[in-house]
Amino acid sequence: MIEFLNLNKLNAVYETGFRQKFEAFLSAGKYIEGVENRQFEKNFAKYCGTKFAIGTGNGLDAIRLILEAYKVTGKLQTGDEIIVPANTFIATILAISQAGLMPVLAEPELETYNLDTEKIVEKISAKTKAIMGVHLYGLISDWEHLQNIAHSHGLLLIEDAAQAHGAVWNDKKAGNLGDAAAFSFYPVKNLGALGDGGAVTINDPELAGIITQLKNYGQEKKYINRYKGFNSRLDELQAAFLNVKLPYLDKANEKRRQNALLYLKNIKHPDIVLPVFDEKSHVYHQFAIRTRRRDELKTYLANHGIETMIHYPVPPHKQQAYSEWQNLHLPITEQIHREILSLPVRENLTGDEINYIIEKINKF
């Protein structure tokens, strides 16, 4: 079986570093926001090119904390609208809802799966205050056009970079493109922890200070609570593991790009639509193909020992959690969710495995 992803095998190369960090963690006896957290925030900010990186409990919280901080500053208010891609993972939308804001779903481009900038303007109303650009599957959104729209309408532009660690646009990394950015370090990410974790990257010192307090019960100092905050701190042990893995992120991303390029050059099946290739702006968190015969192809590949995944089978507006949207018709989003299938693209995929996958797909 060619596994889609085996985290034990993927993380085995870091085991020596993990063990050293764990022993140091036990010896230090500082379990919450210790030296590893401070070091990771410094390292990740430097990597992304931002002034600040703030560790959080997970990626959803990272988005929500950004939104809550903007509410503190008055740039957002309860009930304001945030334009968001309709085909994103539901966490993006949940964070907006949980912050008391209104997600407004916009259709994506069929070619890139990211926001269709032509569809955004028609969604802008007097209540619109921000655009949430999601770099889905590891490809940076059409950022130049998003910036132009945001600036011309006086809107905040926030990145959901949860799948785009290390992606580059105009010599700037994801996380340093908008007004603020959110990352997830869920174990399957290109930079994955061994548990939950997230971060906000930002250049605004005022907002960074507010988020730092909000994530820790709203405390400006111990037992002095300035805001009605949250408990969403990056676990110290996860920060230690991320410090081990971060120096190898670019190398891992490059291997994913090489794997993707082999697929793109050699998959020739007429019923299969391949993703776009971008030398820097895509880090291939997923290699997502599309076909009207998705379920048939998935079964066929499984029968030939190839594991695939569907990201994502049900769009947010068809989820019971958002039953108020059940009557929405978003044809591009619905087509993507019907047809999408992710092939293995992990950095430890071998050439023989890739060639076997290509051979079987071309014979489908």
Side-chain angles (χ1 to χ4, degrees), residues 232-259:
S232 183
R233 299 168 297 213
L234 178 60
D235 182 79
E236 178 72 0
L237 192 54
Q238 300 308 327
F241 295 152
L242 290 167
N243 279 326
V244 173
K245 295 181 72 173
L246 180 58
Y248 302 96
L249 175 57
D250 286 343
K251 182 179 178 181
N253 283 342
E254 183 55 35
K255 183 60 167 65
R256 285 174 175 260
R257 288 193 190 98
Q258 292 171 10
N259 294 343

Side-chain angles (χ1 to χ4, degrees), residues 200-332:
V200 173
T201 53
I202 197 165
N203 290 304
D204 182 339
E206 179 189 11
L207 209 69
I210 294 169
I211 291 170
T212 298
Q213 293 178 46
L214 280 174
K215 72 164 189 173
N216 190 26
Y217 301 107
Q219 294 182 138
E220 57 183 348
K221 58 183 179 179
K222 196 170 180 66
Y223 302 131
I224 304 298
N225 300 74
R226 186 173 183 178
Y227 308 112
K228 296 175 182 177
F230 308 88
N231 177 10
S232 183
R233 299 168 297 213
L234 178 60
D235 182 79
E236 178 72 0
L237 192 54
Q238 300 308 327
F241 295 152
L242 290 167
N243 279 326
V244 173
K245 295 181 72 173
L246 180 58
Y248 302 96
L249 175 57
D250 286 343
K251 182 179 178 181
N253 283 342
E254 183 55 35
K255 183 60 167 65
R256 285 174 175 260
R257 288 193 190 98
Q258 292 171 10
N259 294 343
L261 195 54
L262 286 172
Y263 282 141
L264 291 165
K265 287 181 175 179
N266 295 291
I267 293 177
K268 304 295 184 182
H269 199 290
D271 292 342
I272 291 173
V273 178
L274 299 171
V276 299
F277 178 74
D278 190 292
E279 190 174 355
K280 291 184 177 180
S281 294
H282 207 325
V283 292
Y284 294 95
H285 173 59
Q286 306 296 349
F287 188 90
I289 65 174
R290 232 178 53 247
T291 175
R292 288 174 294 177
R293 303 167 64 192
R294 191 266 308 281
D295 295 341
E296 183 184 349
L297 175 59
K298 182 173 176 59
T299 299
Y300 163 84
L301 291 175
N303 289 339
H304 286 86
I306 300 166
E307 187 179 17
T308 58
M309 299 288 287
I310 299 173
H311 298 98
Y312 303 95
V314 182
H317 70 285
K318 296 299 183 183
Q319 300 281 359
Q320 185 176 348
Y322 285 98
S323 58
E324 65 270 28
W325 290 339
Q326 290 293 313
N327 293 325
L328 277 181
H329 180 47
L330 299 165
I332 302 300

